[in-house]
Amino acid sequence: MTNSAVQQSRSRDLDKLLLRPGNLVEPAFEPGPGLREDLKELVKVLVVGAGGLGCELLKDLALSGFRELEVIDMDRIEIMPVDLALSALRVLAAICLVFIITALLEDVGKPKAEVAAKHVMERVSGVNIVPHFGRIEDKELDFYSNFNIIALGLDSIEARSYINAVACSFLEYDSNDNPLEETIKPMVDGGTEGFKGHARVIMPGVTPCFECTIWLFPPQVKFPLCTLAETPRNAAHCIEYAHLIKWDEVHSGKAFDPDDPEHMKWVYDEAVKRAELFGIPGVTYSLTQGVVKNIIPAIASTNAIISAACALETLKIVSGCSKTLSNYLTYNGAEGLHTKVTEFVKDKDCLVCGPGVLVELETSVTLEKFIGLLEEHPKLQLSKASISHRGKNLYMQAPPVLEEMTRSNLGLPLFDLMGKISKDVVHATGTIITSDKKISCLRKLRVVFKGVDGVADMDTAGGA
Amino acid sequence: MAEPKTKYDRQLRIWGDQGQAALEKASICLLNCGPTGSETLKNLVLGGIGSITVVDGSKVELGDLGNNFMVDESSVGQSKAKCVCAFLQELNDAVKAKFIEEYPEALIETNPSFFSQFTLIVATQLVEDSMIKLDRICREANVMLIFARSYGLTGLVRISMKEHTTVESKPDHFLDDLRLNNPWPELRRFAETIDLDVSDPVAHKHIPYVVILVKMAQEWAKSHGGTLPSTREEKKEFKDLLKARTVAADEDNYKEAIEASYKVFAPPGISSDLQQIINDSSAEVDTNSSDFWIMVAALKEFIKNEGGGAAPLEGSIPDMTSSTEQYVNLQNIYLAKAEADFLAIEQRVCRYRPVEDEFNSPILSELQKYITDEDYSVAVGFYILFRAVDRFAANYNSFPGQFDGAMDEDISRLKTTAVSLLSDLGCNGSTITEDLINEMCRFGASELHAVAAFVGGIASQEVIKVLYLHNTGLVKSFRGSTFDFWCSKLQNLVLEP
Ligand SMILES: [Zn+2]
């Protein structure tokens, strides 16, 4: 009997899934010990975000056969003095970092990514988790290209949008505009709001990317100032009154800093006064933080459910051990319990995951002129663009050292800088303005030079 | 879409005070602390549950390190209940944590009174026989019970309670239920206290549109023999009347009133969908009726009597331009009506069917309907297979595919077991696909961490909802559900036949 051997294995349960053939699996599934070892040794997973979702994700992935994990997050563990006085545990539970309560004393002030990595490694032996403390925008593209799959546990649309653009920038198309499989960087994305959540699978070029379905995230509702000033009707109105109106009245000239606990406490106290005045219930310190910092309230159980779904999809995508979610799961536990899977379709003209925006140029156009054209281009409207071609920086707006190093390229024709080829993809990072907000974004451009060999077939492709 | 957000805020507010108090008072007993059980409790401990008691008779094996976050290297060979309990305690020292090193099955057999000390039992990874016995014990003792089970890529969560009021959940659009076409006396009286022709321009532009529409509709009805606008011309005329009332260009409340005027035009009463359900003969209930139909019957009675032809009011109102005072008053009027409606429904008690009845005398028509429905067939297939593997285990002392080497034999045995189960249930001729049977054998009773975390997450969320509702008497609907993951279309199925 081989029973005893199976019983003694750490991967006792996972082996059933990875070692046995099945009928309802992905075509590429190759069951066997080799697959299990590949997951352990070869597959690198990046977890973006080390908050409620990210911590759960790390734990779930560490117990789903993955050994090489990295996590990036820009926040430190912070404990608000008022909350501690109130009820430390309840507030911590609301932040719902899996490990934070254990971490309470020794880890306050440390980066979340570091603490999360440490705690998972302590518990699950053999797992190696590299934490990165910093902004996702500060990492080179190369950093992201190292991973087989990226799992997102984020609460901001901008951050999702950025990582999505990075993953899509690796995507290449063949001459028939079909995505090249080896250039697809899969992503798994989760999000929660109260009792509701979603988990989705993004295979750039195959399933819709974040930008294809950006309409799923409606713009934030802003309250009119007169409502705040004259007719508050709920707790959020009182908080925003204290934050947007009262603060400026009292602290003339001093900017409100959401990360300063004393500022937050002041806003909270003012909001409480305001609420009492109008007989409005529900102003709490955590709600104040939530409204001011635009934090979406989270519940531990929903984070657990959504992270688990994301971890499972990660395992399925990498191993093929079961059919992958196609492609968007919504969970709603607010009333009764409902789950739904929707198969969204890709926007073939998507600026991010599509074959790229076609830009036709004369061979004489200089890099400087080209950067100017991007600002005028109706589909792009990209200002202050930095340009890279095949991983090489042609021009960088910042930091100053790089700007100086690449400045001399500005006067040279782009055709020459790209090695005198008729067409190729270049990446441009710049800023665009949407709904009065400047955001940085990465765009893929298909540059085609007029009057050079091989242009004829590109014309037809570009016209499609 | 402002409404769902408003409602969600309300939930959080509830969660913030009473919900937390209910959680802190609760005493939970967990049966079996594999990953499914450990993950369920983890979420509850993080949420600040009052006390936990972990019951498990097994020792930690090497394999447990691969799927359970609440054990580590040093736990191997020790009591699993003890180790899991210690790690859970570490998460939150305000929680009272205890463990009992004993197999739940043994407790169920020899010490049924043990369970009566708890608020709620979370029973994980139990087989059918123990589920039935435990359900009987808990009903007798009036202890709430939630079953959770992970099995390969599938899972199951089921709530069982002796008596609980349920009201069907309402889709989001019900939130728009403002009763402008049929205001109840309190709302009408409130509207009467407000003068639409108030001379103060600030007061004029802060009259909530609900009040404007209620008053204007009343005015219209007076001059139109008691009817509301129904033809296109009348609707246009009504909107023009609204426009004529505007005294300044910046009166958002009148703009909102014009936008929402269709709510006045809608015929009062219940939707045709609901009408159809109520007219269904199954709404005539007897002791064999499913909870759903008992609920429908209660709803039908309500509509006929207290409701005066309308369904119970949901009670939340969207944000709107208004003075604070008038908005808060409106909120209270709607909430009071909703609470009165809930009370009326609550008196018509619904109940969860005992697990034993579900297993031994299922409601055949529903089961058959689901088996043949493409959207549900996979989930029902797994539901049947969950029962088949337990029967298999009772006969052969192991689960199908639990050990390597006998896969082919197990597959054909499971198939035979499933066929005979279906026939015992009265579903002759129905089949489970080979693919599902194969898949269930491949799973081999494995408990994968990610699946356990999903199932445990749902179980913990249901615990919170049940605890909260139990303590406040507010009601929402729950259903037992099975989940399956293997399939690209993750489904959740209502199985409370
Ligand atoms: Zn796209």
Side-chain angles (χ1 to χ4, degrees):
Chain A
M1 289 289 274
T2 52
N3 299 353
S4 54
V6 172
Q7 293 299 339
Q8 286 310 311
S9 163
R10 216 173 268 258
S11 54
R12 176 189 65 198
D13 294 74
L14 209 52
D15 278 355
K16 303 251 170 33
L17 208 61
L18 297 179
L19 270 54
R20 296 174 169 181
N23 295 2
L24 300 164
V25 297
E26 292 288 340
F29 180 51
E30 285 180 29
L35 176 61
R36 181 184 62 203
E37 298 311 309
D38 284 355
L39 285 191
K40 272 192 207 165
E41 281 152 29
L42 303 180
V43 177
K44 291 182 78 175
V45 185
L46 174 67
V47 174
V48 185
L53 279 170
C55 284
E56 283 279 340
L57 264 171
L58 278 179
K59 164 188 76 81
D60 293 344
L61 291 169
L63 288 170
S64 297
F66 298 102
R67 283 275 183 85
E68 297 299 324
L69 303 171
E70 302 197 15
V71 56
I72 179 165
D73 189 288
M74 61 180 284
D75 289 333
R76 291 175 186 276
I77 293 183
E78 46 177 317
I79 307 291
M80 297 300 170
V82 186
D83 287 324
L84 272 177
L86 197 75
S87 158
L89 294 169
R90 190 191 300 182
V91 172
L92 292 173
I95 307 170
C96 69
L97 280 166
V98 188
F99 327 100
I100 197 168
I101 296 186
T102 339
L104 191 56
L105 295 171
E106 47 180 299
D107 293 329
V108 172
K110 288 189 187 159
K112 281 182 185 173
E114 197 182 287
V115 174
K118 188 184 88 183
H119 283 274
V120 176
M121 282 197 288
E122 271 170 14
R123 194 67 62 82
V124 185
S125 66
V127 167
N128 181 34
I129 306 176
V130 183
H132 300 271
F133 174 49
R135 283 157 41 90
I136 48 175
E137 295 88 349
D138 292 345
K139 289 278 177 193
E140 300 267 330
L141 284 184
D142 273 357
F143 169 75
Y144 295 102
S145 74
N146 261 325
F147 298 95
N148 302 76
I149 184 161
I150 302 176
L152 281 70
L154 293 163
D155 58 6
S156 109
I157 296 173
E158 287 82 8
R160 277 197 184 91
S161 201
Y162 184 81
I163 296 287
N164 178 68
V166 169
C168 291
S169 74
F170 302 125
L171 182 66
E172 288 172 28
Y173 283 84
D174 66 15
S175 53
N176 296 319
D177 279 358
N178 293 317
L180 294 170
E181 213 184 310
E182 62 276 18
T183 65
I184 296 174
K185 181 81 62 195
M187 278 173 287
V188 174
D189 170 51
T192 70
E193 191 179 325
F195 287 103
K196 299 179 182 178
H198 79 263
R200 72 188 295 185
V201 166
I202 298 176
M203 304 286 266
V206 183
T207 65
C209 82
F210 182 73
E211 223 64 44
C212 292
T213 53
I214 191 79
W215 48 268
L216 284 166
F217 295 84
Q220 292 285 330
V221 184
K222 285 266 179 283
F223 306 117
L225 280 179
C226 64
T227 291
L228 302 182
E230 286 153 25
T231 58
R233 296 181 293 276
N234 59 40
H237 289 160
C238 299
I239 294 164
E240 285 291 45
Y241 168 80
H243 168 218
L244 297 174
I245 299 173
K246 191 79 193 213
W247 177 272
D248 286 340
E249 271 176 31
V250 176
H251 306 86
S252 57
K254 186 160 130 203
F256 174 79
D257 175 6
D259 293 321
D260 184 331
E262 292 205 354
H263 290 195
M264 195 63 82
K265 168 90 167 63
W266 189 91
V267 167
Y268 164 70
D269 290 340
E270 286 301 317
V272 168
K273 279 187 217 157
R274 179 92 175 151
E276 272 167 9
L277 188 67
F278 284 88
I280 293 168
V283 175
T284 61
Y285 190 79
S286 29
L287 182 68
T288 307
Q289 268 189 300
V291 169
V292 171
K293 289 180 145 187
N294 231 329
I295 299 171
I296 300 162
I299 295 175
S301 52
T302 317
N303 277 340
I305 294 162
I306 294 302
S307 305
C310 290
L312 201 59
E313 289 310 317
T314 308
L315 177 64
K316 292 201 281 185
I317 290 169
V318 172
S319 70
C321 70
S322 184
K323 293 256 165 65
T324 309
L325 172 79
S326 66
N327 42 44
Y328 197 104
L329 164 75
T330 39
Y331 172 87
N332 186 351
E335 293 187 43
L337 195 164
H338 306 272
T339 59
K340 189 173 170 235
V341 174
T342 314
E343 193 166 355
F344 286 115
V345 289
K346 177 167 82 109
D347 172 6
K348 68 173 175 25
D349 295 325
C350 177
L351 291 181
V352 179
C353 71
V357 179
L358 180 71
V359 183
E360 283 188 285
L361 298 173
E362 304 289 343
T363 50
S364 59
V365 171
T366 62
L367 182 57
E368 188 166 23
K369 178 101 186 290
F370 175 68
I371 290 171
L373 284 172
L374 298 182
E375 194 157 1
E376 292 156 23
H377 195 292
K379 267 192 179 172
L380 293 165
Q381 299 185 327
L382 195 66
S383 52
K384 297 222 156 147
S386 299
I387 308 292
S388 69
H389 174 239
R390 296 189 173 266
K392 191 176 150 229
N393 295 324
L394 299 186
Y395 180 70
M396 295 290 282
Q397 304 269 358
V401 188
L402 276 179
E403 197 278 333
E404 211 184 311
M405 276 169 63
T406 52
R407 196 185 300 155
S408 57
N409 285 341
L410 285 175
L412 302 175
L414 184 62
F415 184 63
D416 296 357
L417 288 167
M418 286 171 63
K420 301 196 177 184
I421 45 177
S422 61
K423 54 170 185 175
D424 207 356
V425 171
V426 301
H427 288 107
T429 316
T431 54
I432 55 168
I433 294 169
T434 53
S435 51
D436 299 333
K437 229 168 137 188
K438 259 192 186 174
I439 57 168
S440 66
C441 72
L442 175 69
R443 290 286 180 255
K444 184 165 27 173
L445 313 169
R446 272 188 308 161
V447 175
V448 173
F449 293 102
K450 292 178 191 163
V452 186
D453 283 348
V455 168
D457 60 311
M458 276 311 292
D459 272 346
T460 45
Chain B
M1 294 274 287
E3 287 93 323
K5 219 178 159 194
T6 315
K7 164 183 144 172
Y8 166 70
D9 284 343
R10 204 178 114 196
Q11 290 234 11
L12 255 201
R13 220 164 63 212
I14 289 165
W15 169 266
D17 28 56
Q18 293 127 303
Q20 194 65 34
L23 214 59
E24 281 165 18
K25 268 202 305 216
S27 153
I28 307 277
C29 174
L30 171 70
L31 305 186
N32 289 326
C33 60
T36 309
S38 300
E39 290 297 307
T40 308
L41 278 201
K42 180 206 76 192
N43 299 330
L44 294 173
V45 166
L46 283 171
I49 197 93
S51 77
I52 56 166
T53 302
V54 181
V55 179
D56 195 313
S58 64
K59 304 272 190 235
V60 177
E61 293 176 20
L62 203 55
D64 297 323
L65 303 186
N67 70 2
N68 196 337
F69 195 70
M70 294 300 154
V71 295
D72 73 3
E73 214 86 347
S74 66
S75 315
V76 177
Q78 295 195 54
S79 154
K80 200 189 283 178
K82 180 183 159 203
C83 299
V84 167
C85 184
F87 277 125
L88 285 170
Q89 179 76 78
E90 225 178 60
L91 289 179
N92 187 344
D93 56 15
V95 173
K96 291 189 209 75
K98 274 201 310 191
F99 72 93
I100 294 173
E101 189 177 356
E102 179 140 28
Y103 286 99
E105 291 80 1
L107 271 181
I108 292 170
E109 291 295 338
T110 62
N111 191 6
S113 63
F114 166 81
F115 298 100
S116 57
Q117 59 184 300
F118 302 102
T119 321
L120 186 149
I121 315 287
V122 177
T124 69
Q125 308 301 92
L126 284 192
V127 296
E128 187 166 320
D129 182 46
S130 305
M131 282 172 77
I132 292 175
K133 286 178 183 154
L134 181 62
D135 188 46
R136 244 184 256 145
I137 294 168
C138 289
R139 274 165 195 266
E140 197 110 303
N142 214 357
V143 170
M144 296 185 274
L145 174 61
I146 292 185
F147 295 105
R149 193 168 175 189
S150 315
Y151 197 103
L153 293 172
T154 78
L156 176 146
V157 176
R158 192 196 192 282
I159 297 171
S160 185
M161 269 178 280
K162 188 179 173 190
E163 206 167 76
H164 198 79
T165 315
T166 61
V167 168
E168 181 52 280
S169 61
K170 297 170 178 127
D172 277 351
H173 65 256
F174 267 69
L175 292 169
D176 254 355
D177 185 11
L178 295 174
R179 299 290 158 89
L180 300 182
N181 48 7
N182 184 22
W184 65 99
E186 287 78 11
L187 179 58
R188 216 174 294 159
R189 269 199 294 278
F190 174 68
E192 276 160 17
T193 65
I194 294 166
D195 180 9
L196 287 191
D197 300 318
V198 60
S199 55
D200 174 10
V202 176
H204 193 266
K205 72 178 198 182
H206 282 109
I207 301 170
Y209 79 76
V210 166
V211 172
I212 297 175
L213 287 176
V214 166
K215 293 192 80 125
M216 293 292 285
Q218 224 169 352
E219 222 170 86
W220 175 280
K222 239 182 244 163
S223 58
H224 290 80
T227 62
L228 291 173
S230 62
T231 66
R232 233 169 104 185
E233 288 75 34
E234 284 175 341
K235 289 176 183 173
K236 191 177 173 300
E237 197 186 329
F238 185 78
K239 285 187 190 175
D240 288 343
L241 283 174
L242 283 171
K243 252 178 242 163
R245 290 278 182 153
T246 315
V247 296
D250 65 341
E251 294 196 315
D252 288 335
N253 55 338
Y254 274 88
K255 281 179 206 149
E256 289 167 4
I258 291 164
E259 263 171 45
S261 57
Y262 70 92
K263 292 174 187 171
V264 172
F265 312 148
I270 56 176
S271 70
S272 58
D273 290 351
L274 190 53
Q275 189 68 55
Q276 213 173 357
I277 293 172
I278 283 177
N279 290 341
D280 193 294
S281 62
S282 303
E284 308 296 329
V285 290
D286 55 36
T287 50
N288 287 324
S289 296
S290 70
D291 282 358
F292 175 75
W293 289 112
I294 290 175
M295 189 277 296
V296 171
L299 189 62
K300 188 176 179 176
E301 283 295 299
F302 175 89
I303 293 168
K304 207 163 74 190
N305 300 302
E306 296 91 340
L313 187 74
E314 202 273 347
S316 57
I317 61 174
D319 191 23
M320 64 190 78
T321 304
S322 165
S323 70
T324 307
E325 191 197 344
Q326 288 179 355
Y327 186 79
V328 171
N329 282 337
L330 263 186
Q331 257 182 333
N332 288 336
I333 289 167
Y334 274 87
L335 215 57
K337 163 85 169 141
E339 269 163 24
D341 285 1
F342 270 129
L343 278 178
I345 283 266
E346 200 178 16
Q347 284 155 10
R348 304 188 166 84
V349 169
C350 307
R351 68 203 181 0
Y352 285 90
R353 238 176 143 223
V355 170
E356 187 171 11
D357 288 7
E358 177 194 316
F359 284 165
N360 295 338
S361 40
I363 294 167
L364 213 53
S365 55
E366 282 188 28
L367 199 55
Q368 261 160 346
K369 192 181 92 201
Y370 283 130
I371 290 179
T372 47
D373 186 330
E374 204 182 308
D375 287 340
Y376 291 108
S377 64
V378 168
V380 175
F382 275 123
Y383 171 77
I384 300 287
L385 286 172
F386 258 108
R387 303 193 49 198
V389 295
D390 285 354
R391 205 181 257 208
F392 184 109
N395 288 338
Y396 304 106
N397 289 319
S398 72
F399 288 101
Q402 190 173 0
F403 303 112
D404 292 326
M407 281 298 275
D408 290 345
E409 193 183 2
D410 282 0
I411 288 172
S412 72
R413 278 174 168 175
L414 180 60
K415 194 177 171 185
T416 317
T417 310
V419 168
S420 79
L421 175 69
L422 278 170
S423 130
D424 290 354
L425 293 174
C427 296
N428 298 27
S430 301
T431 51
I432 309 284
T433 66
E434 295 273 336
D435 283 348
L436 286 197
I437 292 170
N438 267 337
E439 198 70 359
M440 205 65 174
C441 284
R442 173 185 175 223
F443 294 161
S446 55
E447 212 177 339
L448 303 166
H449 182 79
V451 175
F454 191 97
V455 172
I458 289 170
S460 63
Q461 196 163 91
E462 294 304 309
V463 169
I464 288 164
K465 290 194 284 186
V466 167
L467 284 177
Y468 165 59
L469 300 174
H470 184 77
N471 276 266
T472 63
L474 261 182
V475 282
K476 294 268 155 61
S477 85
F478 300 112
R479 291 147 167 204
S481 312
T482 59
F483 306 90
D484 63 283
F485 293 91
W486 65 270
C487 174
S488 51
K489 296 226 166 190
L490 186 145
Q491 304 173 1
N492 113 46
L493 164 71
V494 176
L495 261 181
E496 215 187 323

Short mmCIF file of all heavy atoms in Angstrom, two decimals, chain B residues 95 134 207 281 343 347 373 393 447 473:
data_model
loop_
_atom_site.label_atom_id
_atom_site.label_comp_id
_atom_site.label_asym_id
_atom_site.label_seq_id
_atom_site.Cartn_x
_atom_site.Cartn_y
_atom_site.Cartn_z
N VAL B 95 -10.89 37.12 23.26
CA VAL B 95 -11.81 36.00 23.04
C VAL B 95 -11.49 34.89 24.04
O VAL B 95 -10.33 34.56 24.26
CB VAL B 95 -11.65 35.47 21.59
CG1 VAL B 95 -12.46 34.19 21.39
CG2 VAL B 95 -12.07 36.53 20.60
N LEU B 134 -26.99 15.38 14.93
CA LEU B 134 -26.68 16.67 15.56
C LEU B 134 -27.82 17.67 15.36
O LEU B 134 -28.16 18.44 16.25
CB LEU B 134 -25.38 17.22 14.98
CG LEU B 134 -24.90 18.55 15.56
CD1 LEU B 134 -24.61 18.42 17.04
CD2 LEU B 134 -23.66 19.04 14.82
N ILE B 207 -37.52 71.33 0.30
CA ILE B 207 -38.62 70.39 0.54
C ILE B 207 -38.27 69.09 -0.18
O ILE B 207 -38.03 69.10 -1.39
CB ILE B 207 -39.95 70.93 -0.01
CG1 ILE B 207 -40.28 72.28 0.64
CG2 ILE B 207 -41.09 69.93 0.23
CD1 ILE B 207 -41.46 73.00 -0.01
N SER B 281 -50.06 27.35 -6.82
CA SER B 281 -50.78 26.48 -5.88
C SER B 281 -49.90 26.05 -4.72
O SER B 281 -50.38 25.72 -3.64
CB SER B 281 -51.31 25.25 -6.61
OG SER B 281 -50.22 24.52 -7.13
N LEU B 343 -42.81 43.08 11.51
CA LEU B 343 -43.45 42.45 12.65
C LEU B 343 -44.65 41.63 12.22
O LEU B 343 -44.87 40.52 12.67
CB LEU B 343 -43.86 43.50 13.68
CG LEU B 343 -42.75 43.97 14.61
CD1 LEU B 343 -43.28 45.04 15.54
CD2 LEU B 343 -42.20 42.78 15.41
N GLN B 347 -44.98 37.31 12.58
CA GLN B 347 -45.95 36.50 13.29
C GLN B 347 -46.33 35.25 12.50
O GLN B 347 -46.81 34.28 13.05
CB GLN B 347 -47.20 37.34 13.60
CG GLN B 347 -46.95 38.29 14.75
CD GLN B 347 -47.84 39.50 14.70
OE1 GLN B 347 -48.78 39.55 13.91
NE2 GLN B 347 -47.56 40.47 15.53
N ASP B 373 -32.26 21.66 -14.88
CA ASP B 373 -31.96 23.05 -15.24
C ASP B 373 -30.46 23.21 -15.46
O ASP B 373 -29.66 22.95 -14.57
CB ASP B 373 -32.43 23.98 -14.10
CG ASP B 373 -32.28 25.45 -14.46
OD1 ASP B 373 -31.36 25.78 -15.24
OD2 ASP B 373 -33.08 26.25 -13.95
N ALA B 393 -18.89 5.93 1.99
CA ALA B 393 -18.01 5.79 3.15
C ALA B 393 -18.62 4.86 4.20
O ALA B 393 -17.91 4.09 4.86
CB ALA B 393 -17.71 7.16 3.76
N GLU B 447 -9.10 18.27 1.52
CA GLU B 447 -9.54 19.56 2.04
C GLU B 447 -8.47 20.57 1.63
O GLU B 447 -7.42 20.66 2.25
CB GLU B 447 -9.68 19.47 3.57
CG GLU B 447 -10.77 20.35 4.16
CD GLU B 447 -10.91 20.16 5.68
OE1 GLU B 447 -10.49 19.11 6.20
OE2 GLU B 447 -11.45 21.07 6.33
N GLY B 473 -34.13 40.44 16.09
CA GLY B 473 -35.42 40.12 15.52
C GLY B 473 -35.62 40.64 14.11
O GLY B 473 -36.63 40.40 13.50
#
